[in-house]
Amino acid sequence: MSIMRLGRVQLRVMDLDKAVDYYTHIIGLEETGREDGKVYLKAWDEYDHHSVILQEADSPGIEHFAFKVSSEDELAKYEKRIEQFGLTISRVSKGTRLKEGEAIRCVLPTGHHMELYHEIEKLGTATGTLNPHPWPENLRGIAPHRLDHCLLTGDDVENVTRFFVEALDFGQSEKIMTVDGETMIGSFLFTTNTAHDVAFIKGPDAKLHHAAFFVDNFYDVLKAADILTRRDVNIEVTPTRHGITRGQTIYFFDPSGNRNEAFTSGYMTFKDFPTITWTEDKIGQGIFYHRRELTESFVN
Ligand code: CA
Ligand code: FE
C-alpha cells in the first residue's frame, strides 16, 4: 500500500504547558522538538520524528491530520487523484514543520484538513533495530506504541468515504447505517492491516471525536485506567470492548477537552476485507459491546 499510515495529528490545546505535561507524563509521549509555539512529540515505538503536534489555540480540536505516503512519486500520484476527485489542494512547503518535507493539503467533504506527505526525518527508537529489547527502560505513563487512528465527525459521511475509497485506495472495514438502509452515519476506513486508521461519525463538521493511541493488550488498557485515576484525569468510559473493530478501549480527556483513547487489538484487515454493517438500532452494542448503549457525553 502506498499510503502507509496515519502519520500525525495536530491538536489544538488551550494551555501549551499543561498539554505538554499531560502528553509527556500521562500519555507518555516523548517531546522531540519545539518551533513557532508548537511542540512535537512521538511515541516510543515510532521511528519518525513526530506523530503528534500540539498547537496553542483558543479552543480545542484538530488542526489537521496527515497520512505518510511511501514515496514522492506516490505523493504526486495521489495529488492528481485528489484533484480529479474535485477537492481543492494546496501545497505546504518544506520546512513549514520541523523535520518535514513538502506536503499536500486538502479540505475533506466533512470540512477537516488532511495532508499527505512523504519526507520526514527518522529519529529511531530507544530499543533500536539491532538485537532489540522488547521495550525501552524508563517508560512513563500509558506509554502507547504509536498513534493508531482518529475518529472525526462530519455531515457528509457518504462522500468522505467515497473519497478515501476511490481516490486514496482505502478499504472500508465497517459502516453504520440507518435502519432503513438509506443513510450512512458511521464509516471505518483502513489503509494499514488494522481495523481502522480513520473513521467518521455523523455530527458537526470539522470536529475531532477522538485521537487514539495503540497499547499492547487489554491489561495495558486497564493499567491506563489506573494511571488516569492516580493522576485524577477525567475518564469517560472505563475499559471495555468495541463491537465495531472488536478492539478494547478506554476513553478520557486531555486538559483542553480533546477526547483520547487507549486502544488495543481488533481484527486484521486485508485488501479483500468485506465491509461489516451495523444498523443504527444496534449502535450502542457496536460502540460499547457490554453496556449496549452510548453514554450521553460520547455523542456530544
Ligand atoms: Ca489503525
Ligand atoms: Fe477509536
Side-chain angles (χ1 to χ4, degrees):
M1 288 222 193
S2 48
I3 295 185
M4 296 193 294
R5 62 173 170 275
L6 180 65
R8 65 163 177 272
V9 58
Q10 185 164 326
L11 296 174
R12 297 161 54 96
V13 297
M14 279 137 73
D15 180 325
L16 195 59
D17 291 336
K18 261 195 196 164
V20 170
D21 182 63
Y22 165 90
Y23 281 97
T24 55
H25 289 101
I26 298 178
I27 300 287
L29 305 180
E30 174 191 349
E31 181 179 329
T32 58
R34 284 187 186 228
E35 192 178 68
D36 302 331
K38 298 188 189 75
V39 177
Y40 294 72
L41 306 136
K42 78 180 219 25
W44 71 263
D45 210 8
E46 290 171 327
Y47 296 92
D48 287 350
H49 184 267
H50 53 264
S51 60
V52 172
I53 305 175
L54 302 175
Q55 168 197 349
E56 199 158 53
D58 52 12
S59 60
I62 185 166
E63 195 281 328
H64 81 279
F65 66 103
F67 284 93
K68 186 178 182 183
V69 176
S70 57
S71 68
E72 296 294 341
D73 285 351
E74 288 295 312
L75 191 59
K77 178 184 98 182
Y78 283 109
E79 180 175 27
K80 281 204 198 78
R81 304 239 319 241
I82 295 170
E83 267 170 352
Q84 279 162 4
F85 190 87
L87 302 190
T88 309
I89 286 190
S90 58
R91 280 185 171 255
V92 179
S93 55
K94 183 181 170 86
T96 301
R97 301 202 187 86
L98 209 52
K99 311 294 183 187
E100 280 186 36
E102 196 175 44
I104 57 173
R105 184 171 173 107
C106 63
V107 184
L108 299 180
T110 47
H112 300 90
H113 290 251
M114 189 198 76
E115 295 185 12
L116 299 179
Y117 67 102
H118 169 64
E119 191 188 333
I120 182 170
E121 188 177 301
K122 271 195 196 304
L123 269 189
T125 68
T127 50
T129 53
L130 180 67
N131 307 325
H133 292 293
W135 40 269
E137 288 183 304
N138 307 320
L139 290 176
R140 287 183 312 266
I142 295 168
H145 288 266
R146 55 182 168 78
L147 177 66
D148 188 77
H149 65 269
C150 286
L151 192 146
L152 308 167
T153 70
D155 185 53
D156 200 347
V157 175
E158 195 86 44
N159 261 313
V160 83
T161 299
R162 209 165 59 77
F163 171 70
F164 275 94
V165 171
E166 290 176 15
L168 302 186
D169 302 319
F170 277 54
Q172 186 183 33
S173 54
E174 312 215 18
K175 61 182 176 183
I176 308 170
M177 300 297 293
T178 50
V179 176
D180 62 12
E182 294 282 308
T183 310
M184 197 191 294
I185 57 170
S187 184
F188 298 76
L189 300 155
F190 66 93
T191 189
T192 64
N193 284 99
T194 62
H196 58 342
D197 299 305
V198 66
F200 293 87
I201 286 272
K202 207 168 180 68
D205 269 345
K207 298 283 190 214
L208 174 73
H209 188 274
H210 64 264
F213 297 95
F214 193 88
V215 298
D216 236 5
N217 53 51
F218 188 54
Y219 184 66
D220 282 347
V221 175
L222 188 80
K223 262 201 326 198
D226 297 342
I227 290 162
L228 294 166
T229 297
R230 181 179 300 224
R231 298 294 297 255
D232 207 23
V233 173
N234 180 9
I235 297 175
E236 183 182 36
V237 179
T238 54
T240 187
R241 180 192 287 281
H242 287 308
I244 295 165
T245 74
R246 301 197 305 241
Q248 294 116 53
T249 178
I250 174 171
Y251 288 102
F252 47 98
F253 293 98
D254 82 3
S256 304
N258 291 308
R259 188 184 282 99
N260 289 161
E261 177 184 21
F263 174 88
T264 190
S265 67
Y267 49 72
M268 282 181 80
T269 53
F270 298 94
K271 282 304 267 181
D272 61 349
F273 193 84
T275 302
I276 292 166
T277 300
W278 291 80
T279 50
E280 193 177 8
D281 56 323
K282 292 285 182 190
I283 193 173
Q285 195 164 320
I287 307 284
F288 301 123
Y289 185 66
H290 307 140
R291 180 198 289 264
R292 283 166 273 165
E293 60 181 17
L294 299 177
T295 60
E296 184 68 21
S297 64
F298 198 77
V299 285
N300 287 307

